[in-house]
Amino acid sequence: DIVAGDFYWLEKKEDTTLFAVADCTGHGVPGAMVSVICNNGLNRSVREHHITQPSKILDKTREVVVKEFAKSSEDIHDGMDIALCSIKGNKLSYAGANNPLILIRNKKVIEVKADRQPIGAYMKTHDFTNHTLDIQKDDMIYIFTDGYADQFGGEKNKKYRLKNLINLLSEISIKPIVQQERIIKEEFSNWKAGRDQLDDVCVMGVRV
């Protein structure tokens, strides 16, 4: 709970802007080390291999991460869930490992589901899927890890749930970004209501 397994990532490659939110399994120092390896895999995919398509970045990052894990004397089963986006002109591309993309336009929600596989050693893998959407001025793009939706709280001490998070984002999507951040933090604090936070939390919002 001192060093995080969640991180956000941003990279600019010529006329393409790339950004991501990732959640590395494992807690404490081991989780943080996995984060370092996975972050490095993203950087190498873009900077060394000059890849800008999100699905191909995830394919290459998985290759890099698995090779790094193989160097360890231990059998590492940790990995990374991630939502990765690129914006070029009025096109948004997205690929995800377990973490979805939420696009909200005039309070209308467009959810793009992720591939059900992590970045890392996994029994059955396939190439990641690339999704492309047209975006418009004032669209809101949200990507996040599972920590917010999985937090226990409320009167019945249940999970917040993804559905409620999406509804919250839809309601606040037309507000200024700074105000959105405050509302998201307050909602989480009120839901938790003094209970322990169970996981790292990372929510990223991007206004087009």
Side-chain angles (χ1 to χ4, degrees):
D1 61 346
I2 296 172
V3 284
D6 283 12
F7 66 90
Y8 61 89
W9 177 84
L10 178 68
E11 188 77 15
K12 185 92 169 169
K13 190 76 174 175
E14 295 170 356
D15 55 353
T16 302
T17 301
L18 296 150
F19 55 95
V21 163
D23 178 4
C24 294
T25 58
H27 292 279
V29 173
M33 292 308 297
V34 173
S35 297
V36 170
I37 291 169
C38 291
N39 190 298
N40 182 53
L42 290 169
N43 289 335
R44 286 182 59 189
S45 298
V46 176
R47 296 173 188 174
E48 291 180 24
H49 299 282
H50 309 291
I51 306 169
T52 56
Q53 182 174 304
S55 60
K56 293 191 180 304
I57 292 173
L58 295 191
D59 290 336
K60 177 57 72 173
T61 299
R62 177 170 57 195
E63 182 185 314
V64 170
V65 167
V66 169
K67 283 181 181 177
E68 287 299 315
F69 284 175
K71 294 176 184 177
S72 172
S73 57
E74 298 178 24
D75 190 14
I76 301 175
H77 295 287
D78 289 319
M80 173 174 67
D81 293 340
I82 185 171
L84 172 63
C85 299
S86 74
I87 292 180
K88 181 178 180 180
N90 66 339
K91 296 289 184 183
L92 167 69
S93 290
Y94 153 82
N98 293 322
N99 289 353
L101 163 75
I102 304 298
L103 175 69
I104 301 180
R105 177 178 300 151
N106 298 323
K107 289 195 173 183
K108 182 184 176 185
V109 177
I110 301 167
E111 179 180 357
V112 186
K113 296 188 182 298
D115 289 299
R116 304 306 298 172
Q117 60 179 358
I119 300 290
Y122 193 58
M123 288 177 63
K124 191 175 181 181
T125 62
H126 54 82
D127 289 348
F128 283 95
T129 309
N130 206 71
H131 304 268
T132 303
L133 299 88
D134 291 322
I135 50 176
Q136 301 174 10
K137 189 177 184 302
D138 292 327
D139 283 353
M140 278 297 307
I141 300 161
Y142 297 102
I143 50 177
F144 41 80
T145 59
D146 60 1
Y148 200 108
D150 285 350
Q151 177 63 43
F152 279 88
E155 292 180 5
K156 298 181 180 179
N157 196 28
K158 292 187 174 182
K159 286 185 177 182
Y160 189 80
R161 295 175 61 218
L162 178 60
K163 179 183 176 183
N164 290 326
L165 175 56
I166 293 174
N167 287 341
L168 173 66
L169 296 176
S170 176
E171 283 301 311
I172 67 174
S173 60
I174 59 174
K175 297 181 184 293
I177 284 280
V178 174
Q179 199 173 339
Q180 290 189 44
E181 180 186 14
R182 189 180 74 249
I183 293 169
I184 288 169
K185 286 181 176 178
E186 287 176 354
E187 175 74 3
F188 186 77
S189 180
N190 292 338
W191 178 258
K192 191 159 60 87
R195 297 178 180 88
D196 288 339
Q197 182 175 322
L198 300 179
D199 198 1
D200 300 329
V201 171
C202 189
V203 180
M204 180 188 286
V206 176
R207 173 84 70 194
V208 177

